[in-house]
Every structure is written in C-alpha cells, then in structure tokens.
Amino acid sequence: MKKNPHISKNVIRRLPRYLRKLDSLQANGVASISSAELGQQLGLTHSQIRQDFSCFGEFGQQGYGYSVNTLREEISNILGMTRGFNVIVIGAGNLGHALIQNFGFERYGFRLTAAFDVDPAVIGSEIAGIRVFPSDELPDYLSRNRVDIAVLVTPQDLANTVAAVLRDGGVRAIWNFTNAEIDIAAPDMLIENIHFSDSLLTLSYYLAYKQDVKPAPKTEG
Amino acid sequence: MKKNPHISKNVIRRLPRYLRKLDSLQANGVASISSAELGQQLGLTHSQIRQDFSCFGEFGQQGYGYSVNTLREEISNILGMTRGFNVIVIGAGNLGHALIQNFGFERYGFRLTAAFDVDPAVIGSEIAGIRVFPSDELPDYLSRNRVDIAVLVTPQDLANTVAAVLRDGGVRAIWNFTNAEIDIAAPDMLIENIHFSDSLLTLSYYLAYKQDVKPAPKTEG
DNA sequence: TAGATTGTTAATCGATTAACAATC
DNA sequence: TAGATTGTTAATCGATTAACAATC
C-alpha cells in the first residue's frame, strides 16, 4: 500500500459509492472493469477514478482494467470493513429498531453486540437477535467490552449526556442520528452525524429553484 | 435577490448547516452576529460565509453584521421552506414510522399529508395524526392531490416499482431511504438519496486509519 | 466621526481533468 | 506484437481565502 500524504475527504466519501457499485457488478457476475466503464456507470471521469484508487495503491492491470473481486476487497479493507468493529445501539425506539433490524451491520463487517434503552417495555427483549439492556448498565457494559462505534438514536436532549458516558467508557466513535450537536469535550472520539434535515432541505432547495426557473424558459433570440 | 449564475453544490449543502446554527442562536436569544463570529462557531472562514451569502443577496449590514432573524428567514426561504411543499411517506415500517413521528416535517415548512403501506395491520391507522392508506390507493391519491416530495421507505426491492408509480402520478421529488438506485427513466424527477452505509463507512475509514496511525506516533528528531 | 464589518474583486490553493509513457 | 488501459505527471478549472474599498 502506498503512503498517503493526507487523502482528501472528497476521495473518502467516494469510496463507499465505489463499493456499492462493485457489489452490484459482482452480483451481476462482472469479473473485470476498466476505469472508463466504471466512470461511465458512476458519472465520473476515468481520470478521477484512477486518481482516487492510486491514493491507496495499484489495484489495476494495464490493458485489462480492474478485477471486480480484488478491487472490492481492497476498498472494503481500506474502509475498515475487515476489522470486525464492535457496534452498540443506544436507543431502541422506531429508528433504533429499524437500524438493528434492517441496516445489516454484518454486511459491512461490523459486529452488532448490544442495544440499550430506558423503556421497560423493550428492556430484556431481543430485536433481530440483539439483546436490549437497560441504559443503567451501559457504563458497566463498556467497562467489560470493547466498543468501537456507538449508534446514537436517543431523544435529542439525551444526546450529550449519553455521549459523555460513551466517552468515559472508551467508545471510539459515535454515529449520531440525533439532531443534537455533540459538544462535550472528547478530542479522541470520532463523530459522524446523520442530519436528515440537511438532506431533505437540499432536495427542497432544488425543487424550489426548479419551480422558479422552469416557468420562464429561455427564448432563443 | 441576486442573479445566480449557477450556485455550486458545496454552497447549497452548507445552507442547512447555517440554518441549524441560526435556529440555535435564535433559541439562545442572540439578535445579531458577524461573519467572523459565525465562522468561528461553525469552523469556517468569515470569507467563505460572506461569499456563500452573497450568492443570494445582501443580507448583512456593514459595521453591524447579520440580523439572526432576518438571515434565518432568508435562508429558510432560499431552501424552499416557505413553499408549503406537500409530502407523503411510502412505507410505514419502523423507519417510516420514525420519520412520521419524530422528524418534524412541519418544523421545516413541509406538509405531511399521508402515508401508504401494504400491511393490513397498519392500514387505516394513524401515526402522529397521519392516516395510513393502502398502497393500492396511491395512484388514485396522486391523481387527486399534488405531492411535491415522496419519502421512499419501502423494502429495497419495491423501490423502483413504487418510483414509477410516483413519477406517473406527477410527484416531483423522491427522498430515497432504500439502498436501491432509482434507475427508472424520470428526467424531471429530483432524487435525493440517504445512504446510511456511506456515512457509517466513512466513519469506519477514519477509525481504521487512526488505529493504524496512532500506534506509531511521530517522534521529533 | 471612528470603528467595525460588509460585499466583492483578486490571489491562492486544492481538486479535477487531460495527457502520456509504461506495461500487461 | 498491437491494442488497451493503467499509474502518474502536468494543465486546467473551480472553490476557498485574503484583501480592501464601500458604508453603516
């Protein structure tokens, strides 16, 4: 693997997209693909694709292209999918439930090990084979188990309180679905936010924009 | 408002972040803010903030800064929040349920009008005041009601079938939570995807990277 | 008025695209 | 071998940052 003198965020954010495409190619029995073809299918230039991959190594073969299997392996490895990261979910409401049941953590190489909630109605139950523990037991659980990623799906006002418990328990990353900004002091903890509203408002912008622009189509002079 | 000779996607994607910050400032009773202060709080340069805003007009006042209220109004307007876009949700499983119940569409100026599902157990019920109709009735519903945005939260394999129905019914945009690529022919329909896995894998990348880099901290020579 | 801060033009930086020698 | 396609270096393009006159 090549040295990486800081790889840009743009490149990183494209990797999961490559992975999805490769999965789909694999499912369709495609054995190899050129950067040109891959670019066409993804709406990217072949140059960009080769540049992106070359940040991490030399995965192709001149005159032939890339082996879909190999490339998928490499990318999944770069993305940490082969590390067996341990994941817990905090909050077993509808969204937590949906993630546990439908997201498919293991599909991406993660090990979902436990869920936590305050609601007596779900405590002790299992969701898709995952046990729901009382939130009280979270510190104790963390002291006895390595947790790499905590999925934060609690009500918004609990977010920072829970985040502090996670930090103190040595959790290394938070995947944050609450709309709260995690602003506790936690220099070593990684935080990735999913802001539903950012996504919907972006869509809404383009919709509004189109509405304004379409009614006045440019008439050629 | 200024003319906009194509505004870059980067700028658009920052707008919802500005909105969130302004909401929070408003909640804290802050009346005005300078680009310098706003930049500090968001981790952006003041230059960038002024550049971003200037794509849409002149919202500030020299020597004073920006009125939080006014700026929030302007941005919410740019984002289409004042259009009263009509929204329906297709799929009332856990995720659909969570969105209907907790997302708060009206908070962003959207009108959530109906939900659809195939499950007899939920059909006819109400979730947070929203009626769940049988999916069969979707085409009929669309023929009688203007729908701007459909939230797609069905199982993955139904995504494209449903998308075609939505397109034929005149729906203008899809907010897609299924992991499926919407690849039906629909040149006029806007599609915004939420890929949970892209987000988690990005986090996973940085976690793996940190794991590799940390064990060998640079020793000053 | 003097100080602060905008909106905008110019300079810099980084990311994308193009080109091409290396090579399968 | 000839053709195809890579990995990489150079050129271009666009986005971010800096600077500054305008002005509240």
Side-chain angles (χ1 to χ4, degrees):
Chain A
M1 202 181 274
K2 269 258 198 98
K3 76 161 188 226
N4 43 14
H6 192 69
I7 290 156
S8 91
K9 220 163 187 170
N10 286 0
V11 174
I12 305 305
R13 299 248 164 216
R14 276 193 293 272
L15 293 180
R17 253 184 95 200
Y18 292 136
L19 185 85
R20 270 188 284 124
K21 172 53 78 178
L22 290 166
D23 278 344
S24 139
L25 290 170
Q26 218 170 26
N28 293 331
V30 178
S32 77
I33 192 162
S34 68
S35 57
E37 179 61 21
L38 191 55
Q40 179 138 74
Q41 294 192 25
L42 286 166
L44 304 172
T45 65
H46 51 134
S47 287
Q48 180 161 62
I49 284 174
R50 294 204 300 281
Q51 281 281 22
D52 282 358
F53 294 166
S54 77
C55 294
F56 305 100
E58 311 190 357
F59 307 144
Q61 201 177 341
Q62 278 101 328
Y64 172 81
Y66 300 87
S67 148
V68 170
N69 287 338
T70 310
L71 188 55
R72 198 217 167 264
E73 282 305 297
E74 294 283 0
I75 290 179
S76 71
N77 191 42
I78 293 163
L79 288 172
M81 290 167 62
T82 52
R83 310 270 173 139
F85 285 139
N86 288 325
V87 176
I88 61 172
V89 172
I90 319 290
N94 280 310
L95 183 50
H97 204 106
L99 288 169
I100 294 168
Q101 204 156 59
N102 306 320
F103 176 68
F105 288 92
E106 61 299 328
R107 203 187 163 302
Y108 303 99
F110 302 106
R111 284 201 275 260
L112 181 56
T113 57
F116 294 85
D117 204 300
V118 292
D119 181 1
V122 290
I123 289 172
S125 72
E126 284 195 356
I127 302 168
I130 303 301
R131 188 59 165 278
V132 183
F133 296 97
S135 297
D136 296 349
E137 295 180 13
L138 181 55
D140 184 59
Y141 181 92
L142 295 177
S143 72
R144 283 195 286 208
N145 300 276
R146 195 198 64 183
V147 171
D148 299 296
I149 301 172
V151 186
L152 198 53
V153 240
T154 62
Q156 198 176 140
D157 51 309
L158 296 178
N160 276 286
T161 313
V162 174
V165 173
L166 294 168
R167 174 200 56 194
D168 297 343
V171 172
R172 303 171 59 224
I174 291 181
W175 194 24
N176 177 33
F177 282 78
T178 76
N179 213 34
E181 204 76 26
I182 307 296
D183 46 21
I184 58 165
D188 281 344
M189 205 163 56
L190 294 170
I191 294 171
E192 167 83 11
N193 299 298
I194 291 229
H195 284 296
F196 288 162
S197 59
D198 288 19
S199 168
L200 180 56
L201 289 175
T202 304
L203 181 62
S204 175
Y205 167 82
Y206 287 108
L207 202 51
Y209 178 80
K210 213 168 129 190
Q211 209 167 54
D212 292 343
V213 167
K214 260 287 171 59
K218 199 175 235 160
T219 7
E220 270 334 299
Chain B
M1 202 181 275
K2 269 254 196 103
K3 78 161 183 225
N4 42 16
H6 193 69
I7 291 157
S8 91
K9 221 165 185 167
N10 287 359
V11 174
I12 304 305
R13 299 249 165 216
R14 277 193 294 271
L15 293 180
R17 254 184 94 199
Y18 292 136
L19 186 85
R20 270 188 285 124
K21 173 52 80 179
L22 290 166
D23 278 344
S24 139
L25 290 170
Q26 218 169 27
N28 293 329
V30 178
S32 79
I33 192 163
S34 68
S35 59
E37 178 61 23
L38 192 55
Q40 181 138 73
Q41 295 192 25
L42 287 167
L44 304 171
T45 63
H46 49 133
S47 286
Q48 180 162 61
I49 284 174
R50 292 203 299 281
Q51 281 280 22
D52 283 358
F53 294 166
S54 76
C55 295
F56 305 100
E58 312 189 357
F59 305 145
Q61 200 178 340
Q62 279 101 326
Y64 171 82
Y66 300 86
S67 148
V68 170
N69 286 338
T70 310
L71 188 56
R72 198 215 168 265
E73 282 305 296
E74 293 284 0
I75 291 178
S76 71
N77 191 43
I78 293 163
L79 288 171
M81 290 168 62
T82 52
R83 310 270 174 139
F85 286 140
N86 288 324
V87 176
I88 61 172
V89 172
I90 319 290
N94 279 310
L95 184 51
H97 204 106
L99 288 169
I100 295 168
Q101 204 156 60
N102 306 320
F103 176 69
F105 289 93
E106 61 300 326
R107 201 188 165 302
Y108 302 99
F110 301 107
R111 285 201 274 259
L112 181 56
T113 57
F116 294 84
D117 205 300
V118 292
D119 180 2
V122 290
I123 289 171
S125 72
E126 285 196 356
I127 301 168
I130 303 302
R131 189 57 168 276
V132 182
F133 296 97
S135 296
D136 297 348
E137 296 180 13
L138 182 55
D140 184 59
Y141 182 91
L142 294 177
S143 73
R144 283 195 287 204
N145 300 276
R146 195 198 64 184
V147 171
D148 300 294
I149 301 171
V151 186
L152 199 53
V153 239
T154 62
Q156 200 176 143
D157 52 308
L158 296 178
N160 276 287
T161 313
V162 174
V165 173
L166 294 169
R167 174 200 55 195
D168 297 344
V171 172
R172 305 170 57 223
I174 291 182
W175 193 24
N176 177 33
F177 281 78
T178 76
N179 214 33
E181 204 75 25
I182 307 297
D183 46 21
I184 58 166
D188 281 344
M189 206 162 55
L190 294 170
I191 294 170
E192 165 81 13
N193 299 299
I194 290 231
H195 284 295
F196 288 160
S197 60
D198 288 18
S199 169
L200 181 56
L201 290 174
T202 304
L203 181 62
S204 175
Y205 166 83
Y206 287 108
L207 203 50
Y209 178 80
K210 213 169 127 188
Q211 208 167 54
D212 293 343
V213 166
K214 259 287 170 59
K218 199 175 237 159
T219 7
E220 269 335 298

